[in-house]
């Protein structure tokens, strides 16, 4: 039985990944500062899986905390989710983002090296591509991050790549995921952002439930079919399964030192697509209004996820309808999130 350290494991993607890991026999140790998540997530994981992961409240920038975690637990591998992730916020607070996302990762990698734990799955982001020349975007596309958030992800990828060159014992997967939405099909776990949501789907859900009167759609003058931005929305359960597939791949004897893969559906949906699909699937109207574009947003991008299927044996299987249905199921069961 392998023991996996999940940084940021009470967050949206991290918690769903823990469920998948625990469900097939892994032991999980979660390290999370709880700055943007709730400790109650662990109770939901227990109810779904029948197993309780270890939760350590701590920051990846805290070397003493990391050393203590590796000393107390026989960790085999790490899945690294911990970090800040709002594009517009990163433009306002770049130093905070570089400190948390880049310095935090360096501290984590140094602690891993000391503990001789050299297998890591890193949750990167499609924001490293910035505004691409075309979609679908292959992994070979050039890096053009348009925000400090995207730049911080690109920096970490460079650090991890250099690490695999310096030491052949390292096994690294860089997973560039696109736009995670949805929730666990039980409705017991989902996205619970602190304050006003930065992402589309939780805001749509909160408008549908009456917590907000109107959805703001940022920009309707993009060069897209309906003028709203297009993204590759991927169900969080598909994304969790992608991290599990990467972990399985890295422990194979023939795995290369470095594996890079997009995690997406290979299809773009506009903001209006999401809004109208949500309203149709859930029979719930979503009032909206158009407002100015957000800094750092790009018009359209979606993945070429062929490599993930060919290399990791992974492919997204859930539809936009599934994403909308599961998101609303989570919202209706938990109208105030995990604190309800």
């Amino acid at each position: 039985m392998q023991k996996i350290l999940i940084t940021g494991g009470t967050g949206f993607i991290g918690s769903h990944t823990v469920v998948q890991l625990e469900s097939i026999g892994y032991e999980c140790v979660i390290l999370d500062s709880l700055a943007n998540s709730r400790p109650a997530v662990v109770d939901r994981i227990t109810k779904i899986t029948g197993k309780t992961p270890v939760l350590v409240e701590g920051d990846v920038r805290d070397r003493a905390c990391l050393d203590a975690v590796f000393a107390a637990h026989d960790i085999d591998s790490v899945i690294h989710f911990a970090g800040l992730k709002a594009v517009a916020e990163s433009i306002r607070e770049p130093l905070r983002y570089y400190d948390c996302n880049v310095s935090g990762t360096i501290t984590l990698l140094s602690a891993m090296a000391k503990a001789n734990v050299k297998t890591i799955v890193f949750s990167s982001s499609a924001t490293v591509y910035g505004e691409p020349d075309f979609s679908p975007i292959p992994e070979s596309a050039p890096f053009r991050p348009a925000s400090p958030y995207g730049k911080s992800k690109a920096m970490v990828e460079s650090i991890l790549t250099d690490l695999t060159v310096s030491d052949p014992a390292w096994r690294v997967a860089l997973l560039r995921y696109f736009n995670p939405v949805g929730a666990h099909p039980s409705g017991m776990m989902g996205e619970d952002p602190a304050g006003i949501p930065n992402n589309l789907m939780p805001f749509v859900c909160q408008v549908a439930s009456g917590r907000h009167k109107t959805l703001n759609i940022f920009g309707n003058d993009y060069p897209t079919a309906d003028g709203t931005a297009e993204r590759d929305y991927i169900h969080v359960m598909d994304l969790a399964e992608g991290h599990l597939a990467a972990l399985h791949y890295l422990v194979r004897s023939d795995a290369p030192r470095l594996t890079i893969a997009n995690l997406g559906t290979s299809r773009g949906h506009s903001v209006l697509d999401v809004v109208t699909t949500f309203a149709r699937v859930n029979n719930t109207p979503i009032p909206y209004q158009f407002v100015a574009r957000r800094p750092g947003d790009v018009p359209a991008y979606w993945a070429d996820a062929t490599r993930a299927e060919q290399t990791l044996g992974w492919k997204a299987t859930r539809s936009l309808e599934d994403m909308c249905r599961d998101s609303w199921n989570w919202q209706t069961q938990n109208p105030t999130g995990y604190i309800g």
Side-chain angles (χ1 to χ4, degrees):
M1 182 182 293
Q2 289 198 24
K3 187 173 287 189
I4 314 298
L5 174 64
I6 316 289
T7 71
T10 59
F12 178 41
I13 305 166
S15 60
H16 287 77
T17 302
V18 170
V19 164
Q20 295 300 90
L21 290 166
E22 295 271 2
S23 295
I24 62 171
Y26 286 93
E27 287 188 41
C28 293
V29 177
I30 296 172
L31 176 71
D32 204 303
S33 68
L34 303 176
N36 292 305
S37 59
R38 313 282 185 183
V41 172
V42 175
D43 296 331
R44 304 295 182 93
I45 293 171
T46 302
K47 289 178 181 178
I48 292 170
T49 67
K51 298 170 62 180
T52 302
V54 174
L55 173 61
V56 178
E57 185 174 351
D59 195 298
V60 289
R61 293 167 292 183
D62 185 342
R63 178 60 187 270
C65 176
L66 287 168
D67 286 342
V69 168
F70 284 108
H73 302 279
D74 188 16
I75 302 296
D76 295 286
S77 307
V78 175
I79 303 181
H80 181 32
F81 292 103
L84 301 173
K85 62 176 186 176
V87 169
E89 182 182 64
S90 77
I91 293 171
R92 296 192 303 269
E93 302 179 64
L95 291 179
R96 181 167 167 247
Y97 270 69
Y98 292 127
D99 178 40
C100 181
N101 295 1
V102 181
S103 297
T105 302
I106 292 172
T107 304
L108 170 65
L109 294 172
S110 298
M112 289 176 64
K114 179 184 177 183
N116 199 33
V117 177
K118 296 185 176 181
T119 301
I120 182 170
V121 178
F122 173 57
S123 281
S124 188
S125 169
T127 56
V128 298
Y129 298 121
E131 187 168 349
D133 293 326
F134 56 85
S135 287
I137 308 168
E139 288 84 356
S140 59
F143 278 11
R144 297 171 183 158
S147 68
Y149 166 65
K151 291 174 184 176
S152 73
K153 291 290 189 180
M155 288 177 184
V156 171
E157 285 204 21
S158 295
I159 292 166
L160 285 163
T161 300
D162 291 341
L163 201 56
T164 63
V165 173
S166 71
D167 183 350
W170 283 89
R171 292 294 180 270
V172 173
L174 308 178
L175 301 183
R176 298 170 185 164
Y177 57 82
F178 283 64
N179 291 67
V181 296
H184 193 272
S186 67
M188 295 176 63
M189 288 175 50
E191 189 168 8
D192 183 23
I196 298 175
N198 288 305
N199 297 328
L200 175 62
M201 189 65 81
F203 208 112
V204 168
C205 288
Q206 290 186 11
V207 170
S209 66
R211 287 177 64 178
H212 300 286
K213 291 183 178 180
T214 306
L215 171 71
N216 288 332
I217 297 180
F218 297 97
N220 65 338
D221 57 350
Y222 285 109
T224 60
D226 61 24
T228 64
E230 293 179 350
R231 299 289 183 266
D232 189 336
Y233 296 96
I234 177 173
H235 199 294
V236 68
M237 296 302 296
D238 279 326
L239 195 53
E241 291 168 2
H243 286 79
L244 184 56
L247 189 63
H248 286 165
Y249 181 71
L250 289 183
V251 299
R252 286 172 36 174
S253 60
D254 61 341
R257 300 182 194 179
L258 180 67
T259 300
I260 303 172
N262 289 331
L263 297 186
T265 65
S266 299
R267 179 181 179 185
H269 289 286
S270 73
V271 174
L272 281 180
D273 284 338
V274 174
V275 172
T276 56
T277 300
F278 186 98
R280 173 175 55 79
V281 167
N282 298 309
N283 194 28
T284 304
I286 305 296
Y288 62 85
Q289 62 183 2
F290 296 113
V291 296
R293 298 183 185 185
R294 290 183 301 190
D297 279 349
V298 299
Y301 62 81
W302 60 89
D304 178 348
T306 305
R307 183 185 292 181
E309 183 175 6
Q310 294 176 344
T311 305
L312 307 180
W314 171 91
K315 184 178 182 180
T317 61
R318 296 163 178 88
S319 67
L320 180 60
E321 285 78 7
D322 294 327
M323 301 175 211
C324 293
R325 187 178 298 108
D326 288 341
S327 296
W328 186 230
N329 186 32
W330 152 254
Q331 180 68 41
T332 53
Q333 290 192 44
N334 305 270
T336 56
Y338 287 108
I339 63 173

